[in-house]
Amino acid sequence: MKNKEIRAHARDAYHDNWGKYLGLNFMYFLIIFAMVFLAFIPIVGSIAVMICSIPIAYGYMVNMVKLKKGETTKFTEFFSLGFGNFGRSWAIYGWTLVKLLLIFLLYFVGVFVIAFLPILAIITKNTVIVLGASVIAVIGIVVLYIFLIAKAMLYVLAQMVAVYNPEKLPKDCVEHSAKLMKGNRLKYIGLGLSFFGWMILCSLSFGMGYVFLLPYISLAMLCFYESLDKENLDKTKKPAIMDWDDVNAAMDKKEEVATSVVENN
C-alpha cells in the first residue's frame, strides 16, 4: 500500500469518529502539558515523568486502536489501559534499549574520546596528531549516530505490535517490529515527512493545531502497521459473528429439511 493510500485510510477512519478522536487527544495533550510542568520539579518531578510517560503513551495507543476498531472507550481510559500494562510497556521499551545498547556504548565512547582530546593535546604537545584524531572521532560519531537512528527505526512499530497482539511477549513484539520494518524504513520516513507542512501550520497556531493533527498522524501510523502486518492480523482475527440474514436463512433451510422428512414419513 502506498503512503497516499495509507493517508486516505487514516482520513476515512478520522472522519468516521472525529469527535471521540479529538476528545481523546485533547485529554492526552492536557496530560503532556501537566508532565512538562511536573518535570520542572527537581529530581522527583523528572523521575515521575520518566516513569509515567511510557505507560501513558502505551495506553494512548491502546485507546486509539480501540477507537479505530469501533469499540466503546472513554477519553480518560488511556490511564487505566496504560498503567494496567505498566510492566508490558516498560518491557517493550527495555528490550528496545537492549537491541540498541552496543551502538549507544560505542557512541558515548566516541563522545568521551573527543572530550579527552584537548587534554591529550596539552600532554603530547602534538596538535597535528590530535587534530587528525579529532577528525576521525567526529566522523565516527556522525556515522554511529546515523546508524543508531537507522537501527532505532526498526523498532518503531513494537508498541503497535504489542497492542494488536496482546498474546505476544514484549521481546517478540520488538523482534517482530524489526522484521516488518526491514525494507520499509524509507517508506516510514516518507510518511512522516508528508505531514511536515501540516506541522508548520500547527506551529503557527501556537501548537493548538496539534490537537487536530495528532489523531491523523497516529491513525496513519496505525494504517501503516496494518498494511505491513496484514497477513498476521488476518490469522489472529476473531471469526465474524453471523448476521441476522444468515441466521434466518439457516433457520428456513432447517425448517424445509424438517418438513420434507415429515412428508416422506
Side-chain angles (χ1 to χ4, degrees):
M1 186 183 294
K2 296 180 180 179
N3 284 341
K4 184 178 180 180
E5 296 172 317
I6 290 173
R7 291 194 303 272
H9 281 290
R11 286 194 299 271
D12 290 340
Y14 196 177
H15 179 268
D16 292 340
N17 217 354
W18 64 271
K20 291 184 177 180
Y21 284 121
L22 289 181
L24 168 61
N25 281 268
F26 181 73
M27 292 299 301
Y28 185 62
F29 264 85
L30 289 179
I31 298 303
I32 296 298
F33 281 124
M35 288 197 295
V36 169
F37 287 108
L38 182 62
F40 284 104
I41 301 175
I43 303 176
V44 177
S46 300
I47 293 174
V49 169
M50 183 183 69
I51 293 173
C52 296
S53 59
I54 301 298
I56 287 176
Y58 186 88
Y60 168 79
M61 186 61 65
V62 176
N63 224 342
M64 286 293 293
V65 171
K66 290 183 73 172
L67 281 176
K68 190 175 184 298
K69 289 181 176 180
E71 298 178 15
T72 303
T73 183
K74 298 178 181 178
F75 298 154
T76 57
E77 197 175 1
F78 61 86
F79 272 111
S80 58
L81 292 171
F83 287 101
N85 290 280
F86 185 89
R88 182 173 175 81
S89 62
W90 266 102
I92 293 167
Y93 185 74
W95 276 111
T96 302
L97 290 180
V98 168
K99 297 290 185 180
L100 300 172
L101 184 60
L102 179 59
I103 307 174
F104 268 123
L105 290 176
L106 291 174
Y107 179 79
F108 286 116
V109 166
V111 172
F112 176 78
V113 169
I114 290 180
F116 181 73
L117 285 175
I119 300 174
L120 183 64
I122 295 172
I123 295 173
T124 61
K125 296 181 180 180
N126 193 329
T127 55
V128 176
I129 294 176
V130 174
L131 183 61
S134 300
V135 172
I136 294 172
V138 169
I139 293 173
I141 286 179
V142 171
V143 171
L144 281 172
Y145 186 72
I146 294 172
F147 187 64
L148 177 63
I149 294 174
K151 183 76 172 176
M153 286 186 63
L154 290 174
Y155 310 114
V156 294
L157 300 180
Q159 199 176 66
M160 298 180 198
V161 174
V163 172
Y164 276 90
N165 303 274
E167 75 287 349
K168 277 186 180 290
L169 295 174
K171 181 182 177 182
D172 296 332
C173 293
V174 174
E175 292 175 349
H176 191 65
S177 173
K179 180 181 176 182
L180 293 175
M181 284 300 293
K182 284 181 179 178
N184 290 296
R185 280 174 284 191
L186 289 178
K187 184 178 180 181
Y188 181 83
I189 293 172
L191 181 60
L193 290 176
S194 66
F195 296 103
F196 186 70
W198 288 109
M199 291 178 181
I200 293 175
L201 291 175
C202 289
S203 299
L204 295 175
S205 67
F206 301 100
M208 295 304 297
Y210 281 103
V211 176
F212 300 90
L213 180 61
L214 184 59
Y216 182 22
I217 295 176
S218 299
L219 285 168
M221 296 305 169
L222 290 176
C223 292
F224 175 81
Y225 161 70
E226 290 174 352
S227 69
L228 295 183
D229 206 21
K230 188 176 185 302
E231 184 177 348
N232 178 60
L233 293 176
D234 288 342
K235 288 179 181 178
T236 57
K237 189 180 294 182
K238 294 181 180 179
I241 298 174
M242 185 180 293
D243 60 25
W244 285 111
D245 290 337
D246 293 333
V247 173
N248 292 331
M251 292 296 294
D252 291 342
K253 186 175 182 180
K254 187 176 180 180
E255 289 177 0
E256 289 176 4
V257 172
T259 303
S260 63
V261 171
V262 172
E263 290 177 351
N264 290 334
N265 290 336

